Amino acid sequence: APARQRAYDQEEEECASDSDCVMTSAGDDPKWDPTYRRRIRKQQRTLLNDVTRNRDDYCGTEEVVASLSSLNELHDEVVAGREAAIDAQALYQISSVAREQVERTHDFVHFDSNVFAEKLLTKFRGRRGAEGIDWCALGDEALKCMKVAPSLDFLYGTLEDKPLRKMRRQAHRQREVMPKEAKQPKELVNLDQQEEMTTKGVAVVLQSLKRACEDGRKINFFRFLVDPRSFSQTVENIFHFTFLIKEGRAGMCIEDNNPYIYLPEDVDEAGQSVKQSRRQCIFSLDVELWQRAVAKYGITEPYFTPATNPS
């Protein structure tokens, strides 16, 4: 009795603090009365406890149907979330009891796909022997259960039930084909020789630039570096000249929309500029621009003779 009184007092406090216990202002529905809702919750809890305690004693469907009918009657009186939560718990317990009863039924037949396939093979293989299945007979039997003829569809696998044998691939050895004539690979130029030729090329360009820019004169970029007889030699001359720009031994400027080359005035012992700031740019040259420069400036002979390439 004291425990029941404490549970009753606790439920009174919860109901007093619950906003759902306040009666609605529109119509004053009696289902929202706190006393009425406590009575509904009491009946729901009684039904829930009865199903939970006596679930092993249910021998037939009559007890399950009676409990479900009582729960449905109480469900019609539910208006708030607290009662709906208890109703959901009771419905879950009743459905669990019903499922257990179905599983304990002795005459309940479980479908086994393997057993079904063996029966089909036994019944429809005898007409054509052990080689295959009589698909026409199987189709005639299946049509008895259908009102509409089934549509055609793809089969997942082969019609025969024999396992497929995996074919092993035999690796064919490749025959070594000897070349008729062995060709000697082209000898590459040694890196030391290549660096030496680059140094000589830069030195030739520098000496030629010093002769062309005596007394502080400037010379046109294209007249000095373009070789009218060879596009590749022109590219090599510009490549050697870029080292002079990088080291500060030569300068470049634009006058009257034409590029000019000059030697810096204030240089140190290594011949590099002291006051001039070093800035570089990307220069693009193709065959068309090379031909236009030759025609525009009337270049007929190269300004200097480049260094000789090694044989």
Side-chain angles (χ1 to χ4, degrees):
R4 182 179 299 178
Q5 183 64 30
R6 286 195 302 268
Y8 179 80
D9 296 339
Q10 182 179 1
E11 187 174 359
E12 287 287 344
E13 293 177 359
E14 294 176 357
C15 186
S17 61
D18 193 355
S19 59
D20 291 344
C21 293
V22 182
M23 297 185 66
T24 57
S25 58
D28 292 338
D29 191 353
K31 292 184 179 180
W32 287 90
D33 182 51
T35 305
Y36 182 79
R37 292 182 54 200
R38 282 197 299 271
R39 182 172 58 85
I40 296 298
R41 289 197 298 272
K42 181 179 179 181
Q43 295 178 4
Q44 289 177 329
R45 290 194 180 96
T46 302
L47 179 60
L48 176 61
N49 295 332
D50 181 68
V51 174
T52 304
R53 287 194 302 265
N54 302 325
R55 60 184 305 164
D56 296 335
D57 299 335
Y58 285 9
C59 300
T61 59
E62 292 80 6
E63 295 85 352
V64 178
V65 173
S67 300
L68 186 60
S69 301
S70 302
L71 184 62
N72 290 334
E73 294 178 359
L74 295 175
H75 178 73
D76 296 336
E77 307 297 329
V78 173
V79 293
R82 295 180 62 184
E83 291 79 12
I86 302 175
D87 180 77
Q89 294 178 2
L91 181 61
Y92 175 77
Q93 292 294 335
I94 295 175
S95 61
S96 300
V97 173
R99 179 177 58 83
E100 292 177 359
Q101 288 188 355
V102 172
E103 292 178 354
R104 288 197 302 264
T105 304
H106 296 287
D107 56 352
F108 181 74
V109 179
H110 295 275
F111 179 77
D112 191 348
S113 59
N114 296 327
V115 176
F116 179 72
E118 291 178 359
K119 291 183 177 180
L120 288 179
L121 292 174
T122 303
K123 182 175 181 180
F124 296 102
R125 179 181 290 178
R127 300 183 184 182
R128 294 182 56 186
E131 296 181 356
I133 301 175
D134 192 349
W135 293 99
C136 295
L138 178 60
D140 295 338
E141 192 71 21
L143 286 177
K144 299 178 182 179
C145 305
M146 303 179 183
K147 295 182 180 180
V148 181
S151 60
L152 296 178
D153 201 351
F154 295 100
L155 291 176
Y156 295 97
T158 59
L159 298 179
E160 300 294 338
D161 57 345
K162 296 181 180 180
L164 297 178
R165 296 181 180 180
K166 295 183 179 180
M167 302 297 295
R168 295 183 179 180
R169 296 182 179 180
Q170 297 180 357
H172 298 280
R173 295 183 180 180
Q174 297 182 356
R175 298 180 179 179
E176 297 181 358
V177 180
M178 298 298 296
K180 296 181 179 179
E181 296 181 359
K183 296 183 179 180
Q184 183 179 2
K186 185 178 180 180
E187 295 183 0
L188 299 178
V189 179
N190 192 359
L191 294 179
D192 295 337
Q193 297 180 358
Q194 189 69 29
E195 293 179 358
E196 183 179 355
M197 289 303 303
T198 302
T199 304
K200 290 182 179 180
V202 174
V204 171
V205 174
L206 179 59
Q207 295 298 328
S208 301
L209 183 62
K210 288 182 179 180
R211 292 192 299 266
C213 298
E214 293 179 350
D215 301 331
R217 292 180 298 175
K218 300 177 181 179
I219 186 172
N220 187 276
F221 174 84
F222 293 102
R223 293 182 184 275
F224 180 72
L225 296 175
V226 170
D227 189 339
R229 294 172 297 187
S230 174
F231 171 74
S232 60
Q233 186 60 48
T234 301
V235 175
E236 187 174 353
N237 294 341
I238 296 175
F239 171 71
H240 292 156
F241 176 74
T242 56
F243 286 93
L244 301 180
I245 295 292
K246 178 182 178 182
E247 296 173 359
R249 296 185 178 186
M252 187 174 177
C253 63
I254 303 296
E255 293 183 359
D256 299 332
N257 294 329
N258 290 317
Y260 285 90
I261 303 173
Y262 64 91
L263 291 175
E265 297 179 356
D266 299 333
V267 294
D268 54 10
E269 296 179 357
Q272 300 180 1
S273 175
V274 178
K275 296 182 179 180
Q276 184 179 0
S277 60
R278 302 178 185 180
R279 291 177 296 178
Q280 302 179 23
C281 64
I282 298 176
F283 182 77
S284 177
L285 179 67
D286 54 6
V287 177
E288 182 180 359
L289 180 59
W290 170 70
Q291 294 175 350
R292 289 171 53 191
V294 172
K296 180 178 179 180
Y297 296 102
I299 305 173
T300 58
E301 294 291 335
Y303 193 88
F304 58 89
T305 302
T308 304
N309 295 329
S311 55

